[in-house]
């Protein structure tokens, strides 16, 4: 008889699936925000200006030239302020009497240089002529 062949099946390699490890999740980089504290509203008063009082000037009283002559001497003709000379100050005083801004009685009496009983432009002219004649 002929030998009989026995067939022995060879085991096929078995494919036993091995479970794959679960995928590893790599965390995505996160933006870390360190929030700075919000500024708080704090009232800071502005500096007020320091006022330093300036010294008050003291007035030095200088006696004005006397408009009235002293009783012992009679002023020269045209010398309304009694300073011993006839000059532009006397002319201005006469104009002030004429305009009514100077009312001192002694000065008004001296301003009538031409002795006509009135104080007018003729008195101003006479003082101007005395000044010009030297």
């Amino acid at each position: 008889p002929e030998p009989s062949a026995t067939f022995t099946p060879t085991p096929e390699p078995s494919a036993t699936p091995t479970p794959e490890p679960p995928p590893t999740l790599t965390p995505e980089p996160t933006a870390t925000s360190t929030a700075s504290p919000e500024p708080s509203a704090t009232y800071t008063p502005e500096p007020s200006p320091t006022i330093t009082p300036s010294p008050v000037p003291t007035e030095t009283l200088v006696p004005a030239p006397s408009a009235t002559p002293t009783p012992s001497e009679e002023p020269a003709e045209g010398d309304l302020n009694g300073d011993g000379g006839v000059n532009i100050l006397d002319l201005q005083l006469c104009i002030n009497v004429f305009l009514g801004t100077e009312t001192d009685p002694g000065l008004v009496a001296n301003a009538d240089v031409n002795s006509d009983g009135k104080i007018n432009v003729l008195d101003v002219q006479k003082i101007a002529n005395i000044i010009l004649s030297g």
Side-chain angles (χ1 to χ4, degrees), residues 3-134:
S4 72
T6 7
F7 176 73
T8 321
T10 52
E12 287 184 27
S14 70
T16 310
T18 54
E20 287 185 29
T24 311
L25 297 176
T26 352
E28 290 183 25
T30 57
T32 309
S33 127
T34 47
S36 58
E38 289 186 29
S40 60
T42 322
Y43 174 72
T44 306
E46 291 187 22
S48 59
T50 306
I51 299 173
T52 307
S54 56
V56 179
T58 56
E59 291 184 25
T60 305
L61 297 176
V62 177
S66 173
T68 54
T70 57
S72 63
E73 60 184 70
E74 188 66 31
E77 182 181 50
D79 183 14
L80 302 188
N81 61 2
D83 65 355
V86 180
N87 54 34
I88 193 72
L89 296 175
D90 300 299
L91 183 64
Q92 184 63 56
L93 284 171
C94 188
I95 292 170
N96 289 349
V97 170
F98 173 67
L99 295 175
T101 58
E102 183 63 60
T103 58
D104 178 77
L107 187 62
V108 171
N110 289 340
D112 184 16
V113 182
N114 64 1
S115 303
D116 64 356
K118 302 176 209 158
I119 293 135
N120 53 29
V121 72
L122 297 175
D123 298 299
V124 173
Q125 183 180 9
K126 184 154 188 179
I127 293 174
N129 287 339
I130 293 169
I131 293 170
L132 291 173
S133 67

